[in-house]
Amino acid sequence: MKISIGKPKSYIQYFISIGSVCIAAAIGYAISGFAGYKVIAYILLVTVSLLSMFLDIAPVILAAFLSALIWDFFFIPPRFTFQVNTTEDILMLLMYFIIAMVNAVLTFKIRQAQKIARQKEEKENTVKLYNTLLNSLSHELKTPIATIIGATDTLQNNSMKLTANNRIELIAEISKASFRLNQQVGNLLNMSRLESGFIEPKKDWCDINELVYEVVKTIEDNKISQKISININPDIPLFKLDEGMLEQVIYNLINNATQYTPPDAKIDVMAMGYADILQIIIEDNGNGFPDDEIDHVFNKFYRLKGAQTGGTGLGLSIVKGYTEAMGGTVKLENIRPKGARFTIDIPAKTSYLKNLKNE
Amino acid sequence: MNKAVIQVIDDEAQIRKLLEIALQSNDYIVQQAANAKDGMILAANHPPDMIILDLGLPDEDGHSVLKKLREWYTNPILILSVQSSEEDIVKALDNGANDYLVKPFRTGELLARIRSILRTAINEDVNPVIICNDLQIDLSARIVKKKNELVKLTATEYHLLSLFVKNEGKVLTHHYLLREVWGPGFINQSQYLRVFIAQLRKKIENDPNRPEYIVTESGIGYRFVNRE
């Protein structure tokens, strides 16, 4: 019989079953001087019922058998024999045995039914979650595709009716849509790379200053309205880590901030080096995260309640995945007076090889 | 000057079409091949001024095509590759490709790269005095000036800069730079390169954090850009 998680292992179950019956019998034996043997039958019966609540069916049936034998041998007169003299006692023993069995089987059945209901519910939840994800994902992928198809159709079929301005606008929409599509596909590829479990950080010496400025430049090329300021200690050492992964982490965090903060928000990027730990902080003065959702934002496909469309809910889970693949941690907190702060800590070898000026 | 002939080797008809239109409308002559075998035969029969080679071909690995072409073909080769394959790109550059572009790419970027590659290819013997905006580099006198003021460079810094200048517009991989400047035993000592690039930028760039001359090619190497 398969034993589900959380219940004692099978040999322990038999041990508990036999032990409990013996204890109940000992109690019965102790009180047999003033309590009648019928009262002891009830004590044993209660024991079997209690066992059936948390043990598998086989140990419970064993308890039922054992307790019936014990009752017969130790308590039904003549005591210390299996002999039963009166018809009443025979009937009682038989009924004792049936009640114990029915008890065991019924409880077991109820537990089985509960288990099936729970599994069904879990499955339904998974299906529901999966459908939500699929809907959001297909929406995020199909919207830009619809834009591209629609715009190109219009350009092909109504070229005579379109003003020069219309044409420029349509082409700009195609460009925006393909950029968006490219980002979404990039996210999905990163995610599947992480999920495959085959990612090994490729470590090499990184100039954090150079890396952060490069990422910020890429983001600023997308014509964002927020102001990004960078604050890195000029004496920060070189760190040995996976440049591509770190870039992706910083890119996703800053990109996330530019997408979900007001246009006049300010984004601060800071990097510090401690003893063999690189710390990167990305802070904004936007609206922060709802406190009850902070714990969920790194979950795959999680989107804030009421979030605008245009994201897959993958960006931050990739941040977490890559940071952890590098052996680091990521933390999110709201800050005062307002805004959010992401703190990344990554352990890495450092090199202070900075004074080679005479070579 | 005659129109330059560019050969495209790519198995995707859509990419070939796109390149054909972009290149022809910019006065290049285009010849095409859809697989490695046809590409190599075409290049041998009608050697083009430049080849654009896709790394993911159906009949043969792009790297092996590149190696075979490089046995006899000396004109520039530009690599097209799909996203996220830094190793592929570094390998191709180390095997003699002049430059690379990752798909999806902007055609504007592609044309700029082609112009830069063809220009460098024509000026095979580098002019000893190179002027880029406020930067002046005299390779024969080993003098570097910024805004007409002498820039003091260490021997290593000068060696790096001269490599960049001689390969203007071309991506130089980390391994290549380490081997050329420090020697074959140093190809995994990238910390030297990081430090010296940072030092060199402090001396020649207007804003070392937002370099205009020595541009980073993330995970691959560096490129010297001359924006006239």
Side-chain angles (χ1 to χ4, degrees), chain A residues 205 208 231-233 235-241 270-281 283 329 331 341-352:
Chain A
W205 293 105
I208 302 301
N231 191 345
I232 298 173
N233 185 340
D235 290 328
I236 193 166
L238 299 173
F239 281 91
K240 195 164 195 179
L241 36 77
M270 288 160 275
M272 280 137 284
Y274 298 110
D276 286 347
I277 288 193
L278 169 67
Q279 183 170 73
I280 302 215
I281 294 179
E283 218 174 80
T329 56
K331 197 178 80 186
R341 175 193 288 146
F342 285 92
T343 309
I344 306 266
D345 286 303
I346 300 169
K349 266 200 225 162
T350 52
S351 162
Y352 281 91

Side-chain angles (χ1 to χ4, degrees), chain A residues 21-192:
Chain A
V21 171
C22 289
I23 290 169
I27 294 170
Y29 195 80
I31 61 170
S32 61
F34 52 88
Y37 67 93
K38 290 174 190 166
V39 175
I40 291 159
Y42 284 109
I43 294 176
L44 290 169
L45 213 49
V46 167
T47 309
V48 175
S49 308
L50 287 176
L51 288 174
S52 69
M53 286 169 75
F54 60 95
L55 295 185
D56 283 328
I57 191 155
V60 173
I61 289 172
L62 173 73
F65 253 111
L66 189 65
S67 64
L69 288 178
I70 286 175
W71 187 49
D72 179 9
F73 187 80
F74 287 100
F75 302 106
I76 298 177
R79 292 178 73 178
F80 308 110
T81 60
F82 284 108
Q83 197 184 332
V84 183
N85 288 344
T86 65
T87 323
E88 189 193 348
D89 283 348
I90 292 174
L91 276 175
M92 287 246 310
L93 182 61
L94 197 67
M95 283 192 300
Y96 174 92
F97 190 68
I98 291 171
I99 293 170
M101 281 304 191
V102 168
N103 224 323
V105 172
L106 272 186
T107 323
F108 179 76
K109 272 194 173 172
I110 292 169
R111 288 215 329 255
Q112 285 294 90
Q114 279 176 337
K115 195 171 147 198
I116 289 166
R118 207 165 44 235
Q119 277 171 348
K120 206 178 147 197
E121 198 186 348
E122 271 170 25
K123 200 179 155 213
E124 274 171 4
N125 282 340
T126 317
V127 169
K128 212 167 117 191
L129 182 72
Y130 182 75
N131 281 338
T132 324
L133 301 183
L134 211 60
N135 281 341
S136 118
L137 197 61
S138 68
H139 177 262
E140 290 316 322
L141 293 175
K142 286 202 165 176
T143 309
I145 295 174
T147 311
I148 295 170
I149 293 177
T152 46
D153 268 357
T154 315
L155 284 168
Q156 279 172 335
N157 301 331
N158 305 306
S159 57
M160 290 297 142
K161 292 176 226 156
L162 292 171
T163 64
N165 212 13
N166 286 154
R167 209 167 294 141
I168 291 168
E169 277 176 351
L170 283 175
I171 291 170
E173 284 308 318
I174 297 174
S175 165
K176 253 191 277 174
S178 31
F179 180 78
R180 186 171 153 190
L181 199 56
N182 189 32
Q183 272 206 323
Q184 307 288 29
V185 171
N187 271 336
L188 282 174
L189 289 175
N190 273 323
M191 199 67 221
S192 55

Side-chain angles (χ1 to χ4, degrees), chain B residues 155-205:
Chain B
T156 311
E157 288 164 359
Y158 180 80
H159 194 170
L160 261 180
L161 182 61
S162 64
L163 273 178
F164 279 124
V165 170
K166 286 174 197 160
N167 294 286
E168 187 222 306
K170 188 176 171 185
V171 192
L172 304 180
T173 62
H174 295 147
H175 280 189
Y176 173 82
L177 289 167
L178 285 162
R179 196 175 54 230
E180 290 295 311
V181 177
W182 284 274
F186 283 79
I187 54 166
N188 290 318
Q189 306 290 316
S190 60
Q191 68 268 43
Y192 290 96
L193 186 60
R194 299 293 190 190
V195 172
F196 277 94
I197 293 285
Q199 279 176 203
L200 189 54
R201 277 174 172 165
K202 276 184 196 141
K203 292 182 181 177
I204 66 164
E205 298 282 358

